[in-house]
Amino acid sequence: QVQLVESGGGLVQPGGSLRLSCAASGFAFSTSWMYWVRQAPGKGLEWVSTITPAGDITWYTDSVKGRFTISRDNAKKTLYLQMNSLKPEDTALYYCATTKVGDDRGQGTQVTVSS
């Protein structure tokens, strides 16, 4: 079955960077659209970014454009999210998923942006 395992979160100061990883197994990762979604404390699930199977086209929610970069390594079955210029409002539990609404997401990785 689909398994997604996120890692790479942590506590970072405003303006800092983190790189999230998502190890995928149990499905055809190389032919699947992939997504990052997040859930801030007390809020619902929010779509963050999408990448095509070949990794050639990406989309981002407006609040992270120019700061976050989604990428993938199909040989390693791994999805990434490079996050730069982090802001306190980026604080959330981050998930990779197989749909924009967060289907099949793993346990998530916590990102906390605070001074």
Side-chain angles (χ1 to χ4, degrees):
Q1 72 277 18
V2 175
Q3 186 171 18
L4 298 169
V5 179
E6 302 91 344
S7 62
L11 173 63
V12 62
Q13 292 187 342
S17 298
L18 284 173
R19 188 194 196 202
L20 307 184
S21 297
C22 170
S25 62
F27 67 106
F29 179 80
S30 63
T31 59
S32 298
W33 291 55
M34 292 298 298
Y35 305 80
W36 284 100
V37 298
R38 66 186 180 184
Q39 186 165 23
K43 296 189 176 181
L45 211 57
E46 176 191 24
W47 167 74
V48 175
S49 183
T50 301
I51 189 167
T52 55
D56 54 343
I57 305 175
T58 58
W59 293 265
Y60 301 92
T61 191
D62 285 348
S63 62
V64 309
K65 281 180 184 175
R67 302 188 297 120
F68 289 12
T69 303
I70 189 173
S71 63
R72 65 193 296 162
D73 185 331
N74 285 340
K76 295 182 178 179
K77 296 185 180 181
T78 302
L79 180 71
Y80 302 100
L81 185 67
Q82 177 67 44
M83 305 187 297
N84 299 328
S85 302
L86 282 161
K87 303 176 180 180
E89 52 263 43
D90 295 318
T91 294
L93 193 56
Y94 283 73
Y95 303 93
C96 60
T98 58
T99 71
K100 194 173 183 178
V101 295
D103 290 338
D104 298 319
R105 63 188 182 275
Q107 83 291 345
T109 187
Q110 178 67 41
V111 172
T112 302
V113 185
S114 174
S115 55

